[in-house]
Amino acid sequence: MNARVEKALNEQVIKEGSSSQFYLAMASWAETKGLNGTAQFLYQHSDEERFHMLKLVKFINERGGQAIIPAVEQPPVEFESLEHVFELLLEHELAVTASINSLVDICLQEKDYTTHNFVQWYVSEQLEEEALARTILDKLKLIGGDKGGMYMFDRDLENSAITAAPANQDQAK
Ligand code: OFO
């Protein structure tokens, strides 16, 4: 496998792994605040990011490279508010999108069209995740400090986590 592409893919492994840890920390924080639906949604999101990492690891190894499993970095323990959590999540997703775009660029420069094709899955995934984070943030802004609204919001996220679960299990096969 092209050395430059392999290095960029391994850097992406780090990013997906750290996304998983970051969302796991958010989920745990939400759970301690009684936001169980939000916690469930974020736990699931964390699992998805781990799956994104695993997909890269397998691809690198199958193509004759060597995947490097990164060390676990400590994510934040406390968050200012739920809105802050989703602001950070969107910010994080935007950074991951930039990194995927640069990976696409490297594939084209190195004429590695197989990896370029593989990476397209991540391009679409980032589009969806950014849109979802924006929608959630908009809802939180609408709710403001309303406790009833927050209750409904948490329940909605719980329902969306339940609906999305079977698809994710299929993805992991
Ligand atoms: Fe891995 O999909 Fe977002 O970060």
Side-chain angles (χ1 to χ4, degrees), residues 16 19 23 45 49 52 92-93 96 125-126 129:
E16 302 294 341
S19 297
Y23 302 157
H45 203 123
E49 296 298 350
H52 298 172
H92 191 81
E93 288 302 329
V96 172
E125 185 69 16
Q126 282 311 118
E129 289 189 350

Side-chain angles (χ1 to χ4, degrees), residues 27-77:
S28 176
W29 175 85
E31 196 165 46
T32 64
K33 303 293 169 204
L35 296 161
N36 292 344
T38 309
Q40 201 175 321
F41 172 86
L42 289 165
Y43 279 129
Q44 191 176 302
H45 203 123
S46 167
D47 283 349
E48 280 175 26
E49 296 298 350
R50 187 178 181 281
F51 165 72
H52 298 172
M53 176 179 74
L54 202 56
K55 197 173 161 82
L56 281 160
V57 165
K58 289 183 174 168
F59 180 80
I60 297 166
N61 291 339
E62 276 162 13
R63 294 265 298 145
Q66 182 157 25
I68 299 163
I69 308 306
V72 174
E73 234 183 87
Q74 158 97 61
V77 176

Side-chain angles (χ1 to χ4, degrees), residues 9-17 53 56-57 60 68 70:
L9 286 170
N10 268 313
E11 279 163 12
Q12 197 60 37
V13 167
I14 300 174
K15 294 201 169 81
E16 302 294 341
M53 176 179 74
L56 281 160
V57 165
I60 297 166
I68 299 163

